[in-house]
Amino acid sequence: VLPGMRAQKSGLIIQISSVAGRFSAPGFGIYNASKFGVEGLSVAMRYELAPLGIDVAIVQPGPFSTNFFPGIFKAGDAEIASAYPHVGGFLEGFGNQVMAAFADKNAPTNPIIVAKIFESLINAPAGSRPLRTLAGLDFGVQSMNDAIDPIRKGIIGALQIADWDGVKS
């Protein structure tokens, strides 16, 4: 899609990461690594593409009440899992915590939240879209994003690319 976006000097790429792209938890290492990769790639793309008129935004969903989440707590190899009982205990407790949130009608676990964020990003004026938008249960990741963003902006300022941080309208 980039050749077409470059030609029209506008566009929007929305990358789906996860709250797990900002912190690691026991038993989720490979998933965390993949989401950390999405985060790094997306930030680099934002800087590379903004001067060409193309916005890049990251959506960071927490767990949602879908079929994805309940199936991730089953160990593939019981013998290997038995060597890590502390990880199994963590996963059981964490799974129970998230499933309780799914049962709470007031918890932000309806997947429609993500669709509404996409709609909001699509409808936002070019250059005004935030780098990261959190969706649903955040486990403190919004606080992390808020704390780290001024540091990120300081780094790109020192690199003299601060004006590459999003399309300027």
Side-chain angles (χ1 to χ4, degrees):
V1 299
L2 282 176
M5 289 182 177
R6 285 193 309 262
Q8 67 188 21
K9 296 182 169 70
S10 68
L12 169 62
I13 297 172
I14 301 173
Q15 300 277 61
I16 301 177
S17 178
S18 169
V19 294
R22 298 295 272 173
F23 70 91
S24 294
F28 291 95
I30 292 172
Y31 184 75
N32 292 136
S34 71
K35 295 306 180 177
F36 273 65
V38 169
E39 293 274 335
L41 175 65
S42 301
V43 174
M45 287 173 59
R46 182 175 174 97
Y47 303 151
E48 293 165 359
L49 298 176
L52 306 177
I54 303 164
D55 270 337
V56 176
I58 303 168
V59 176
Q60 299 172 308
F64 282 93
S65 183
T66 65
N67 290 334
F68 171 77
F69 195 79
I72 65 174
F73 294 105
K74 307 290 186 231
D77 185 313
E79 184 178 344
I80 293 174
S82 70
Y84 300 90
H86 58 291
V87 174
F90 166 79
L91 290 173
E92 182 178 343
F94 180 67
N96 291 339
Q97 176 186 5
V98 172
M99 296 309 287
F102 289 171
D104 179 352
K105 300 292 183 213
N106 296 315
T109 61
N110 185 330
I112 197 72
I113 293 169
V114 176
K116 288 182 179 190
I117 288 171
F118 268 62
E119 180 180 34
S120 173
L121 289 169
I122 290 166
N123 291 329
S128 70
R129 297 169 176 121
L131 172 58
R132 292 182 173 90
T133 303
L134 214 119
L137 298 172
D138 81 348
F139 303 102
V141 170
Q142 186 61 56
S143 294
M144 179 184 284
N145 287 344
D146 293 344
I148 292 172
D149 206 50
I151 298 167
R152 179 187 68 83
K153 288 179 179 183
I155 291 169
I156 63 174
L159 296 174
Q160 299 180 351
I161 60 169
D163 58 335
W164 297 3
D165 188 20
V167 178
K168 302 304 174 220
S169 41

